[in-house]
Amino acid sequence: TGEVLWVEALVRWVHPTMGLLMPDEFVPPAEQTGLIYQLTRWILRRTLRQAAAWQRQGLQIGIAVNFSARDLQLPGMPDFVTSCLRQYRVPASRLKVEITEGSLMDEPEQVLRTVTHLRSRGVGVVLDDFGMGYASLSHLKQLPIDELKIDRSFVSQLRQGGLDTSIVRLTIELGHQMGARVVAEGVEDQETIDLLRQMGCDAAQGFYLAEPAPAERLRAWLADRAHPAD
């Protein structure tokens, strides 16, 4: 429909000597050293503070935040999320936690408990980059999710037809059978949007729709979409 449903919080590091660093350059070392816990907490607080600011401006929009496997293994994580929501007075329904299939590989029972607790408190749960992990279907069927994201590696080849088209179509059907909204990642042209719509995909994200931008640009971007230039 063209309606904007959510935005996703992305982290970048403007390093004093190395310049702009992308997540794949500093998140893996953060996970290896245990600093990921501090990083995720910082991101969550900044995200909810921004969500609260948007609320005061009359902008009611949800935000998704990525959690690592390490974050999900902490028994106290649901309580921390709840306390942050309460601190910034943001409804739980405006927050989604994005996890990957890889999160289920280590300590799947603890991850499942954490995710179940988050969802029971009203926080949405998104399975990100679906199709790129190694989680078994027995694990996936136990996972209480609201949204399933098809990995960009399949979506980007959709116009070519062939196996990727079949994979996307089957993934959309699987997501719906799980009772989840299905989102296509990495959409970069109108033809792909049209194909996804024909397949019954619920939503999409990608550079064709919007490139990453600072939070303060969101209101102007939404206004431009509502009133496009002639």
Side-chain angles (χ1 to χ4, degrees):
T1 64
E3 178 187 1
V4 179
L5 302 173
W6 296 83
V7 292
E8 180 176 355
L10 304 176
V11 62
R12 304 288 186 266
W13 183 4
V14 183
H15 193 279
T17 58
M18 300 174 67
L20 181 66
L21 300 180
M22 304 301 281
D24 58 0
E25 298 178 270
F26 60 87
V27 169
E31 291 180 319
Q32 294 164 10
T33 60
L35 289 173
I36 191 65
Y37 305 127
Q38 295 168 261
L39 180 60
T40 299
R41 282 167 166 75
W42 180 83
I43 293 170
L44 183 62
R45 289 192 183 99
R46 287 291 300 268
T47 298
L48 293 178
R49 188 172 71 186
Q50 182 62 59
W54 281 334
Q55 282 182 175
R56 292 191 295 271
Q57 297 166 6
L59 184 58
Q60 311 297 336
I61 193 166
I63 306 183
V65 177
N66 293 277
F67 274 40
S68 77
R70 293 268 189 123
D71 297 319
L72 297 169
Q73 291 167 15
L74 288 178
M77 183 56 76
D79 290 336
F80 175 75
V81 173
T82 300
S83 68
C84 288
L85 288 166
R86 189 180 301 116
Q87 176 185 355
Y88 293 101
R89 300 181 181 180
V90 174
S93 59
R94 296 239 174 86
L95 175 65
K96 287 186 180 182
V97 169
E98 296 200 7
I99 67 174
T100 63
E101 289 178 71
S103 303
L104 301 173
M105 299 302 292
D106 298 322
E107 300 189 36
E109 293 183 1
Q110 179 57 52
V111 170
L112 182 61
R113 279 194 294 269
T114 298
V115 169
T116 301
H117 283 314
L118 286 169
R119 197 162 185 257
S120 70
R121 300 177 192 195
V123 176
V125 176
V126 180
L127 186 59
D128 196 13
D129 300 334
F130 184 78
M132 296 301 290
Y134 303 97
S136 67
L137 289 176
S138 62
H139 283 146
L140 291 177
K141 74 177 184 179
Q142 300 178 58
L143 195 65
I145 64 170
D146 302 281
E147 200 168 277
L148 183 152
K149 285 189 172 184
I150 308 173
D151 188 76
R152 68 183 64 247
S153 62
F154 303 111
V155 176
S156 64
Q157 301 299 315
L158 200 56
R159 293 178 301 162
Q160 312 304 320
L163 187 57
D164 284 321
T165 300
S166 299
I167 291 173
V168 170
R169 182 178 288 110
L170 289 170
T171 303
I172 292 170
E173 183 177 346
L174 174 63
H176 289 163
Q177 288 294 324
M178 295 171 67
R181 175 190 286 124
V182 180
V183 181
E185 297 183 288
V187 173
E188 298 194 6
D189 56 74
Q190 184 61 44
E191 185 179 350
T192 300
I193 288 279
D194 295 338
L195 289 169
L196 290 166
R197 185 179 287 116
Q198 292 170 18
M199 293 179 182
C201 192
D202 302 293
Q205 72 177 77
F207 281 11
Y208 179 69
L209 301 169
E211 295 187 7
E216 58 267 20
R217 293 187 193 171
L218 181 63
R219 286 179 61 84
W221 180 79
L222 290 171
D224 288 342
R225 285 179 60 87
H227 306 285
D230 294 333

